[in-house]
Amino acid sequence: MEHRERISVEGLFQIRQSSMVHDVVVVGSGAGGGTVAKVLTDLGIRVTMLEAGPMLDPAKDFKMFAWPYSLDHRGLGPGCELYFRKGISRPLNYFSAPNGAWEIKGEPYTVAEGSKFTWFRSRILGGRTNHYGRISLRFADYDFKSYSRDGLGTDWPITYDELAPYYDKVEDFIGVFGSREGLRGAPDGKFLPPPPPRAHELLMKRACQKLNIPCIPARLAILTRNHNGRPKCHYCAQCGRGCTAGANYSSSQVQIFPAMKTGRLRVINNAMAREILTDGAGKVSGLSYIDKTTRTEKQIRCRVLILAASACESARLLLNSKGAGYANGLANGSGQVGRNLTDSIGFTVSGHIPALEGMPIYNSDGVGGMHVYVPWWLPEKSGIDFPRGYHIELGGGFHMPAAGAFRGVCQSHEGYGTDLKRAIRSRYGTEVSFAGRGEMIPNNRTFCEIDPSVVDQWGIPVLRFHWQYSDNEVRQAQHMHDTFGSIIEAMGGTAAAKMTPSQAAEKIAVGGQHIHEVGTVRMGSSRETSVLNKYSQTHEVKNLFVADGGPFVSNPDKNPTLTICALAWRAAEYVAEEMRKGNV
């Protein structure tokens, strides 16, 4: 391989050099990295991709058809006490897609005193697209101009109309099911037919109608028809284990493997990016990385570098890249790298619905996720004491019981043996859940920075997280709680008592739990207040781009993956054109 390699020889270092310059190097293989690799290779450009984890083999690594009884403790993995200690309500287990963890041995991060934050990282080809829920929502027009609406946060340097053609391209390519509803807060897209609602979802929809709350078909990147050479979903509801068939979207199966077949994409696995290298003219000349297999440092030269390692990993790499003229990190003249960090506001309420008792048990698997959801229904709201909004993700049905599925019944029911089993069977399928995903507004107390004294096993300084919710998020969580209670009551269940602000603050999901971190390398019109221009190109370094959640200016109540892909597609086309013109 063409690179420079530093190896230890009796305490000395030997450097092997190569003169080859790669066209484009991409760091990271998730939604952003997979998208730019596919777009650029389709345009005839040769791409080299660095991934910090191993290569993915779906047939070997995915656990789609495994049964709970085939593993100890029904598949609940080791170290699960970490999840509960950190306040994480949905721990991963042995059945989850491979190589994802909240804590990775030898690769720590730190959290500042008084803060709570948990950082999920996926060390395998495809990154976190192996794990996510495939929810694919377009931002609304007003999401790009939120400061102009309410004076909070910052406006994006682009509009919905500028990004809409790229939403079209992404949806056309990866396949997203949904329905056209004409709602401003949930823009319509190019949809495949949605699956029909399950029994509990029909009850939820009916209850929402009583409250004048829209409940519409969900929008997920899962195929309901054969599409672009991929088969439609067979409704095993095990998307979180990885889809061997490739019916759901993951960057590895949908973008990277096809790009590799063109001969224009080369993937270097187990490559931990360490530092961006620059030349005397202020441009990127290459990248230093650790070959985790041989534990050697290598350097690869490139014409263009695209960071797509995730919002926080890309910020970490920029902050760790220091030199003459950029002592605070590369492309960080604005001081905004690592700032403006947000995650989705998460709040969940569950309820028992008596109307579901005694219902014949049927196969309600469907896709691995909800068939219907509630978009934000008050974009022109009045009389509400918080800005922005949230959508509601709905859960329930006769899912395959996993570890801990009946702990609630066991805690509340007197007895054991046959009597306890009878109680468990009577409650099976009668619980529903409502999970709010709301917008968090950036604040000065929430950011990531380089820890001054902690390094990982490769000697690379790690991130330290600061996290603080504002009163806006607390009031939003209270509204979620009250709304979910009203829907449960409309379904015939009993809602929990009202919550105080302090109770709501305690029950908001821990920062990072929803894996929607964005904003750390935000785009903008001014280099004094932003890191990137509207094409995801750094203001200060012409041949350096970012194509993950880092460029986000705000974090609306829509899951970010579809927008990451759309921005990455737009950036990739811009890169190709700038390369053609000789500007980079």
Side-chain angles (χ1 to χ4, degrees), residues 18 29 48 85 89 245 321 392 431 567:
S18 170
S29 64
T48 302
R85 190 170 73 236
S89 60
S321 301
I392 309 174
E431 299 289 324
L567 290 171

Side-chain angles (χ1 to χ4, degrees), residues 47-61:
V47 177
T48 302
M49 174 179 284
L50 274 62
E51 162 55 45
M55 178 57 72
L56 173 73
D57 180 351
K60 172 185 174 184
D61 296 321

Side-chain angles (χ1 to χ4, degrees), residues 389-538:
Y390 60 90
H391 75 259
I392 309 174
E393 300 174 8
L394 311 177
F398 297 113
H399 296 302
M400 181 186 291
F406 303 113
R407 62 179 178 269
V409 181
C410 294
Q411 289 172 349
S412 62
H413 183 76
E414 292 278 347
Y416 57 92
T418 301
D419 187 51
L420 177 59
K421 291 179 181 178
R422 186 181 300 113
I424 288 173
R425 292 190 179 100
S426 71
R427 295 293 291 264
Y428 180 47
T430 67
E431 299 289 324
V432 295
S433 65
F434 300 85
R437 298 290 181 266
E439 178 167 359
M440 178 183 178
I441 300 172
N443 66 72
N444 291 330
R445 295 170 294 176
T446 300
F447 59 95
C448 60
E449 62 182 352
I450 298 300
D451 191 293
S453 58
V454 180
V455 298
D456 65 15
Q457 63 176 315
W458 321 111
I460 306 172
V462 307
L463 284 180
R464 177 170 62 189
F465 291 94
H466 300 254
W467 192 267
Q468 184 68 52
Y469 288 122
S470 73
D471 290 341
N472 293 325
E473 286 79 49
V474 173
R475 290 192 293 266
Q476 184 187 103
Q478 283 185 282
H479 191 273
M480 290 180 185
H481 175 269
D482 294 345
T483 299
F484 303 163
S486 297
I487 299 174
I488 290 171
E489 286 185 339
M491 294 179 71
T494 302
K498 298 284 186 179
M499 299 185 74
T500 65
S502 60
Q503 290 173 323
E506 282 295 317
K507 293 195 174 183
I508 296 178
V510 174
Q513 177 177 336
H514 295 301
I515 320 178
H516 294 168
E517 319 93 70
V518 300
T520 54
V521 196
R522 74 177 180 187
M523 61 169 60
S525 301
S526 169
R527 62 190 297 156
E528 283 73 39
T529 58
S530 60
V531 183
L532 311 173
N533 66 17
K534 65 180 183 178
Y535 295 106
S536 302
Q537 178 184 35
T538 63

Side-chain angles (χ1 to χ4, degrees), residues 234-560:
H234 52 265
Y235 294 159
C236 74
Q238 302 303 325
C239 297
R241 301 182 181 189
C243 182
T244 305
N248 62 28
Y249 167 65
S250 65
S251 66
S252 52
Q253 293 167 293
V254 178
Q255 294 164 322
I256 296 173
F257 292 157
M260 291 174 70
K261 290 180 179 178
T262 68
R264 290 186 287 273
L265 173 64
R266 180 182 186 180
V267 176
I268 303 175
N269 288 102
N270 296 308
M272 187 72 182
R274 179 188 187 97
E275 181 181 6
I276 301 169
L277 308 175
T278 58
D279 59 20
K283 294 177 67 176
V284 169
S285 60
L287 182 78
S288 168
Y289 69 94
I290 304 298
D291 182 330
K292 294 164 73 172
T293 303
T294 62
R295 301 186 70 87
T296 57
E297 180 180 344
K298 299 180 179 180
Q299 296 179 354
I300 185 169
R301 301 179 67 197
C302 61
R303 180 177 169 187
V304 174
L305 179 63
I306 302 176
L307 305 184
S310 81
C312 296
E313 285 282 16
S314 291
R316 177 191 180 195
L317 184 55
L318 290 169
L319 291 171
N320 275 327
S321 301
K322 299 180 179 181
Y326 47 98
N328 295 321
L330 188 61
N332 194 28
S334 65
Q336 293 299 306
V337 175
R339 312 295 299 190
N340 310 299
L341 173 64
T342 59
D343 185 21
S344 294
I345 301 303
F347 197 91
T348 302
V349 172
S350 299
H352 170 69
I353 307 302
L356 294 172
E357 292 179 0
M359 189 174 70
I361 296 176
Y362 71 103
N363 184 346
S364 65
D365 285 348
V367 304
M370 58 195 178
H371 288 192
V372 297
Y373 92 114
V374 175
W376 179 235
W377 64 101
L378 299 171
E380 307 298 337
K381 59 185 180 296
S382 61
I384 295 177
D385 62 354
F386 61 93
R388 315 297 168 82
Y390 60 90
H391 75 259
I392 309 174
E393 300 174 8
L394 311 177
F398 297 113
H399 296 302
M400 181 186 291
F406 303 113
R407 62 179 178 269
V409 181
C410 294
Q411 289 172 349
S412 62
H413 183 76
E414 292 278 347
Y416 57 92
T418 301
D419 187 51
L420 177 59
K421 291 179 181 178
R422 186 181 300 113
I424 288 173
R425 292 190 179 100
S426 71
R427 295 293 291 264
Y428 180 47
T430 67
E431 299 289 324
V432 295
S433 65
F434 300 85
R437 298 290 181 266
E439 178 167 359
M440 178 183 178
I441 300 172
N443 66 72
N444 291 330
R445 295 170 294 176
T446 300
F447 59 95
C448 60
E449 62 182 352
I450 298 300
D451 191 293
S453 58
V454 180
V455 298
D456 65 15
Q457 63 176 315
W458 321 111
I460 306 172
V462 307
L463 284 180
R464 177 170 62 189
F465 291 94
H466 300 254
W467 192 267
Q468 184 68 52
Y469 288 122
S470 73
D471 290 341
N472 293 325
E473 286 79 49
V474 173
R475 290 192 293 266
Q476 184 187 103
Q478 283 185 282
H479 191 273
M480 290 180 185
H481 175 269
D482 294 345
T483 299
F484 303 163
S486 297
I487 299 174
I488 290 171
E489 286 185 339
M491 294 179 71
T494 302
K498 298 284 186 179
M499 299 185 74
T500 65
S502 60
Q503 290 173 323
E506 282 295 317
K507 293 195 174 183
I508 296 178
V510 174
Q513 177 177 336
H514 295 301
I515 320 178
H516 294 168
E517 319 93 70
V518 300
T520 54
V521 196
R522 74 177 180 187
M523 61 169 60
S525 301
S526 169
R527 62 190 297 156
E528 283 73 39
T529 58
S530 60
V531 183
L532 311 173
N533 66 17
K534 65 180 183 178
Y535 295 106
S536 302
Q537 178 184 35
T538 63
H539 290 300
E540 300 170 23
V541 186
K542 291 175 62 176
N543 62 340
L544 176 60
F545 296 77
V546 182
D548 47 34
F552 283 40
V553 180
S554 62
N555 194 1
D557 63 294
K558 289 86 175 176
N559 304 46

